[in-house]
Amino acid sequence: MKIMLHACCGPCLLEPYDALAAEHEVRVLYANPNIHPADEYQRRRDTLLAYAAESSIPLDVLPYEPNEWSAAVAGVEDDPSQRCPRCFELRLGIAARHAKAEGFDAVATTLTVSPYQDPEAIREAGESACFDAGVAFLVTDFRDRYADATRRSRELGMYRQNYCGCRFSQKEAEAEREERRRRRREG
Ligand code: SF4
């Protein structure tokens, strides 16, 4: 099968790419309008580009369109249970239309390597987006490879972000870190 693999960042690409490329023709796509701010988007993209170039991995990069993401999550920004599914569907929809235009059979995503993402929400979003575009969605679960992805990305000296991507997750992650610091101070 020809698979367009949506990638959120370099560290998350490592294991899913190897697993899929062992059995399929795979091209990687970086399309993540959720990432904020722009220099963070560029840093994640450039980390991915460098690894793809070193490893001779085919990679497409689409233009950064953060306004598309803002429109997709309008009204549910403060509720991750609604915001994240919309974010998945937007990104996987972009990947699905790109896959169709490029003559690919299916879309997969590196998002399922993360234990912090909801695989069922990713599956629902991917199937809906791919149905609309007329390609298949390859359901994956790479979470058992997360430890290897973490180890390899550290060994490679890759940039590893400390929040999911959007401006809300940046604030939520900082609040969680502050809460952990407060608990440590209080013993
Ligand atoms: S937390 Fe992550 S998945 Fe959820 S909306 Fe923000 S960037 Fe998207």
Side-chain angles (χ1 to χ4, degrees):
M1 249 198 315
K2 290 177 71 176
I3 295 179
M4 190 67 72
L5 176 59
H6 164 263
C8 54
C9 63
C12 287
L13 176 66
L14 299 171
E15 290 291 316
Y17 180 82
D18 287 358
L20 293 173
E23 295 183 28
H24 304 284
E25 178 183 335
V26 180
R27 193 195 294 175
V28 176
L29 174 67
Y30 187 73
N32 296 294
N34 55 314
I35 299 173
H36 173 87
D39 59 356
E40 175 73 19
Y41 168 89
Q42 288 160 4
R43 197 170 182 193
R44 296 186 195 189
R45 178 199 63 195
D46 293 349
T47 300
L48 186 71
L49 281 169
Y51 178 71
E54 277 165 24
S55 308
S56 302
I57 293 173
L59 170 67
D60 293 343
V61 176
L62 296 185
Y64 180 45
E65 306 281 4
N67 290 340
E68 275 187 36
W69 183 84
S70 297
V73 303
V76 296
E77 292 91 337
D78 294 329
D79 179 359
S81 72
Q82 295 189 66
R83 186 185 75 216
C84 299
R86 290 197 193 181
C87 178
F88 298 146
E89 185 147 5
L90 173 68
R91 289 187 280 167
L92 295 174
I94 295 168
R97 291 188 292 279
H98 186 67
K100 182 73 176 175
E102 295 288 314
F104 278 64
D105 306 306
V107 167
T109 178
T110 63
L111 290 167
T112 59
V113 80
S114 169
Y116 304 106
Q117 306 286 9
D118 176 355
E120 188 58 18
I122 294 167
R123 184 188 64 74
E124 282 179 15
E127 287 180 345
S128 169
C130 286
F131 179 82
D132 290 346
V135 291
F137 181 66
L138 190 67
V139 178
T140 58
D141 185 348
F142 297 114
R143 286 175 295 174
D144 62 345
R145 302 175 77 129
Y146 181 71
D148 285 336
T150 302
R151 175 187 52 75
R152 287 177 64 193
S153 60
R154 287 200 174 116
E155 287 169 2
L156 289 164
M158 278 180 161
Y159 168 60
R160 296 174 46 78
Q161 62 272 7
N162 62 5
Y163 64 100
C164 184
C166 66
R167 58 187 183 275
F168 304 99
S169 65
Q170 188 180 26
K171 285 189 190 135
E172 287 157 4
E174 181 49 43
E176 283 167 19
R177 284 192 292 273
E178 180 52 38
E179 177 62 14
R180 283 198 294 274
R181 284 194 288 269
R182 187 187 66 75
R183 284 196 198 138
R184 275 198 300 274
R185 278 198 304 272
E186 291 177 2

